[in-house]
Amino acid sequence: MNDWPEGWSGDNRTGRYGRGSASAQPESARVMRQVRRGAAPPPGTGPSAPPYGGVPQQPSYVDGQGYGGQDGDGYDSGYNTGQVYGSPAGHGPASGGPRPARPAPDWRRRIKWTAITVAGVLVVTTVGTYFWADSKLNREVDLSKVIERPEAGEGTNYLIVGSDSREGMTDEQKKDLHTGSAEGKRTDSMMILHTGDNGSTLISLPRDSDVEIPSFVGSDSGKKYEGTGRHVKLNAAYAEDGPELLVRTIEYNTGLRLDHYVEIGFAGFANIVDSVGGVEIDIPQDIKDTKSGADLKKGKQTLNGEEALAFVRTRYALPGSDLDRTKNQQKFLSALASQVATPSTVLNPFKLYPTMGAGLDSLIVDKEMGLFDLADMFWAMKSVSGGDGTSMNMPVSGNVGSNLKWDTEKVKTLVDQLKKDEKVTVSGN
């Protein structure tokens, strides 16, 4: 049985161009039978013989329907309507209609969550910085060992001590900073800083001040030593039994209770100055001192750590010796506080953290000292340099041998005003 369409039987292929044919006329195009989907048509309704020279007529795609049109009888490619891969009207994957418009951004919500995120980062950073800084404080001085203390007054009193400690310094650093190599440590400067509601007052205590050593309890031995009325220079109290005896001696000779103790050594002082990029200060006169290493010209200039240390230690090249030196120390510490508080330092973490690290590593404080107390002291120092406070020397009336004798009446008035947190009217030397 031959199932080829009429005109396409094997007999019809003879005498035409093609395989096994010698005719020069090509045979009609051979077309693969199309596969119909669905049930076979009833007998007698099938396609008629090809009317075009043996080639079956192809379905028309003009209407986009293919075999059978829209009757559902035949295959519909959907090509001309764009309905490809089941997507109506050519809109990509089947969606049942046009793609919905993208909603407008909710800027209020975005701003809200951005603010929450930034606030969270700031809180975490602040808390982390606080605990990091708090852990670096060297709380070594125990003021509970100080006996027979005066009653506390209004405001807060800090004893700020600069020691000549060379602990941790290399031989090269000792040479560069002109510190020498003496063992142990002594006080090179002492100041009382009072903070309160009526401004801050910074009072320098000359190291050569004549004071009486009272009875005290040894900081290491715990043994009580009775006072004998012995008079020494103030810095000798520190050399004899450290910070606790120094506090005890100052409180006994002034009647003023000291709430906190802060000490810094040579190397720490120089490191702080270098960490802030130097400190600008106006030097009133040329200074050249071989003992401190100072070689400075008169006028406004920026001192690095080495130069700053030489400046605050110089006394032999100054007319007023130790009294002039204490004035220079006050002036420089106030300038340093102002330099640290500039936006270029506070707002720059690459400068702020090294400065904090250098300062905190080099400080020795009392066991009750907290970061907020340290901040209060710092801002009070800054206010003194800004003209909102008072800086002075302890009033001196003369000499006892090589010691400086305090003016008893003026000291009493000064202490009374500090205890009551009143504006200081007493002037120092």
Side-chain angles (χ1 to χ4, degrees):
M1 178 177 179
N2 188 353
D3 58 356
W4 286 85
E6 187 178 349
W8 280 76
S9 66
D11 296 337
N12 293 337
R13 288 179 291 169
T14 60
R16 292 186 178 272
Y17 181 82
R19 286 178 295 180
S21 172
S23 173
Q25 182 181 0
E27 65 178 327
S28 301
R30 294 172 60 189
V31 180
M32 182 178 291
R33 297 177 63 191
Q34 301 297 322
V35 179
R36 295 177 59 87
R37 296 190 179 185
T45 62
S48 60
Y52 302 110
V55 180
Q57 184 178 4
Q58 300 301 305
S60 171
Y61 286 91
V62 175
D63 60 357
Q65 299 303 317
Y67 298 93
Q70 297 181 357
D71 298 335
D73 280 347
Y75 171 74
D76 178 9
S77 68
Y79 181 82
N80 288 332
T81 63
Q83 298 182 18
V84 184
Y85 305 117
S87 170
H91 290 294
S95 60
R99 178 179 296 172
R102 178 178 296 177
D106 188 347
W107 290 108
R108 180 176 298 179
R109 178 170 178 166
R110 290 188 180 184
I111 293 173
K112 171 186 174 182
W113 283 108
T114 300
I116 291 175
T117 301
V118 171
V121 171
L122 289 176
V123 169
V124 171
T125 302
T126 302
V127 172
T129 299
Y130 176 86
F131 284 105
W132 167 77
D134 188 71
S135 67
K136 296 180 77 68
L137 278 178
N138 301 306
R139 297 182 174 93
E140 299 178 7
V141 179
D142 189 358
L143 295 183
S144 67
K145 295 179 180 179
V146 180
I147 61 173
E148 302 175 16
R149 308 193 68 185
E151 292 293 328
E154 300 294 327
T156 304
N157 300 310
Y158 300 88
L159 177 61
I160 303 172
V161 174
S163 76
D164 63 359
S165 172
R166 298 152 177 87
E167 184 177 353
M169 297 176 63
T170 65
D171 291 339
E172 184 177 356
Q173 287 175 316
K174 293 176 183 178
K175 180 180 178 181
D176 291 341
L177 298 176
H178 302 272
T179 65
S181 300
E183 295 297 326
K185 58 181 181 179
R186 287 152 292 277
T187 52
D188 209 50
S189 61
M190 292 156 283
M191 303 178 190
I192 295 175
L193 175 65
H194 173 83
T195 66
D197 295 333
N198 286 288
S200 301
T201 303
L202 184 62
I203 308 162
S204 287
L205 310 176
R207 57 180 287 176
D208 294 339
S209 297
D210 184 78
V211 294
E212 180 183 341
I213 298 293
S215 58
F216 67 96
V217 174
S219 58
D220 292 329
S221 65
K223 178 181 177 181
K224 184 172 182 179
Y225 298 88
E226 296 295 339
T228 60
R230 174 169 53 107
H231 280 246
V232 297
K233 292 182 179 181
L234 181 58
N235 66 335
Y238 182 96
E240 187 171 331
D241 197 51
E244 288 84 1
L245 179 55
L246 178 62
V247 171
R248 167 70 176 135
T249 301
I250 293 174
E251 289 186 341
Y252 176 82
N253 284 268
T254 62
L256 181 68
R257 185 184 180 98
L258 301 175
D259 301 292
H260 292 293
Y261 178 93
V262 180
E263 176 185 325
I264 187 169
F266 281 164
F269 179 83
N271 288 340
I272 293 174
V273 174
D274 286 334
S275 68
V276 297
V279 175
E280 185 179 73
I281 191 169
D282 191 1
I283 299 178
Q285 64 185 68
D286 290 348
I287 298 177
K288 189 171 182 64
D289 185 358
T290 56
K291 292 194 175 184
S292 69
D295 187 6
L296 306 170
K297 299 298 182 181
K298 177 182 178 180
K300 185 176 292 186
Q301 56 198 284
T302 299
L303 304 183
N304 62 25
E306 178 183 339
E307 294 167 335
L309 183 61
F311 176 69
V312 299
R313 292 182 61 216
T314 295
R315 64 169 175 162
Y316 294 105
L318 302 176
S321 188
D322 201 34
L323 291 177
D324 282 349
R325 177 171 72 164
T326 57
K327 293 176 182 178
N328 284 343
Q329 290 171 346
Q330 290 179 349
K331 184 176 182 179
F332 187 85
L333 288 179
S334 296
L336 174 60
S338 296
Q339 178 69 27
V340 173
T342 59
S344 63
T345 299
V346 175
L347 300 179
N348 184 356
F350 298 102
K351 200 172 182 179
L352 175 62
Y353 284 96
T355 301
M356 291 178 63
L360 295 172
D361 278 339
S362 58
L363 293 180
I364 296 175
V365 300
D366 64 272
K367 293 183 179 296
E368 301 301 319
M369 186 76 152
L371 288 179
F372 291 108
D373 299 312
L374 200 60
D376 175 63
M377 183 193 81
F378 170 79
W379 288 111
M381 291 284 294
K382 182 178 181 298
S383 70
V384 170
S385 68
D388 294 330
T390 302
S391 59
M392 58 183 290
N393 278 326
M394 185 67 81
V396 174
S397 61
N399 295 75
V400 179
S402 61
N403 297 353
L404 294 172
K405 181 176 176 57
W406 290 351
D407 187 319
T408 305
E409 291 301 320
K410 285 188 175 182
V411 169
K412 183 178 183 303
T413 302
L414 172 64
V415 170
D416 286 342
Q417 290 175 341
L418 294 177
K419 281 185 174 182
K420 297 175 182 178
D421 193 25
E422 297 176 346
K423 186 174 180 58
V424 172
T425 59
V426 177
S427 61
N429 300 80

